Amino acid sequence: KAANAGSSVLAHGQSVTFFVNYNAPVANAGTIIANTVSVLGTDDEKNPTQASDSDSETYKNLMPSIKVTKTPDKTYVTPGSRVIYTYMVSNISAAGSFDPLSGITLADTDGTPSYVSGDANGNHVLDIGEAWKYVLAYTATSSGTHTNSVTASGMDDENMAAFGYASASINVTCQQNGK
């Protein structure tokens, strides 16, 4: 059955619009998706006729995205107490596996966190699905609320930078009367 309102005849000057839904796959920037449509028919003298048209789209680069979380092992301490911050870093780029991040660095206002684990395939690239763990030990020095922040950064395969931010606070209180 023909798509032109069920008719098997398309009169001179008449046109028909066809709609096709297509879910484009995830791909890297620069990938081209080409689409061609072909129409076949027969005129009133039984002669075959055909026409075709093509179009294409080029994938644009999506900005990479990195996520970092920061969690202290204690939130209430006394001066001189040691706090261990744990950081979890993940690649949340919209382009998925086509946008791995390399050159991952963490810069914290209290020092440089150390990498612990998470690079599942050992390629030194933060892939989608990996969560890299870092830690940093901090010694509380004075009473009050101590807030510090971390910046995680990396580069995607098109040399676009990604940055993620997190902060955490601890309460440093003095012990009174041996309590």
Side-chain angles (χ1 to χ4, degrees), residues 118-137:
D119 189 5
N121 55 10
N123 66 353
H124 306 288
V125 174
L126 182 57
D127 297 307
I128 293 292
E130 291 182 337
W132 289 12
K133 180 180 180 179
Y134 292 77
V135 296
L136 174 69

Side-chain angles (χ1 to χ4, degrees), residues 4 59 109:
N4 53 328
Y59 278 76
T109 53

Side-chain angles (χ1 to χ4, degrees), residues 67-178:
K67 179 181 179 183
V68 60
T69 61
K70 178 179 183 173
T71 308
D73 65 341
K74 307 172 196 74
T75 54
Y76 290 92
V77 298
T78 58
S81 296
R82 183 174 156 154
V83 176
I84 305 294
Y85 290 103
T86 300
Y87 309 79
M88 297 304 294
V89 181
S90 55
N91 178 348
I92 57 171
S93 297
S97 62
F98 290 94
D99 224 1
L101 299 174
S102 60
I104 304 302
T105 60
L106 268 67
D108 191 283
T109 53
D110 282 339
T112 303
S114 298
Y115 172 81
V116 174
S117 63
D119 189 5
N121 55 10
N123 66 353
H124 306 288
V125 174
L126 182 57
D127 297 307
I128 293 292
E130 291 182 337
W132 289 12
K133 180 180 180 179
Y134 292 77
V135 296
L136 174 69
Y138 168 76
T139 301
T141 57
S142 59
S143 295
T145 301
H146 176 77
T147 301
N148 68 342
S149 57
V150 62
T151 301
S153 62
M155 302 288 280
D156 73 1
D157 57 341
E158 288 91 29
N159 291 319
M160 301 287 292
F163 298 95
Y165 308 94
S167 63
S169 296
I170 58 171
N171 297 297
V172 184
T173 58
C174 290
Q175 288 184 335
Q176 296 178 6
N177 301 328

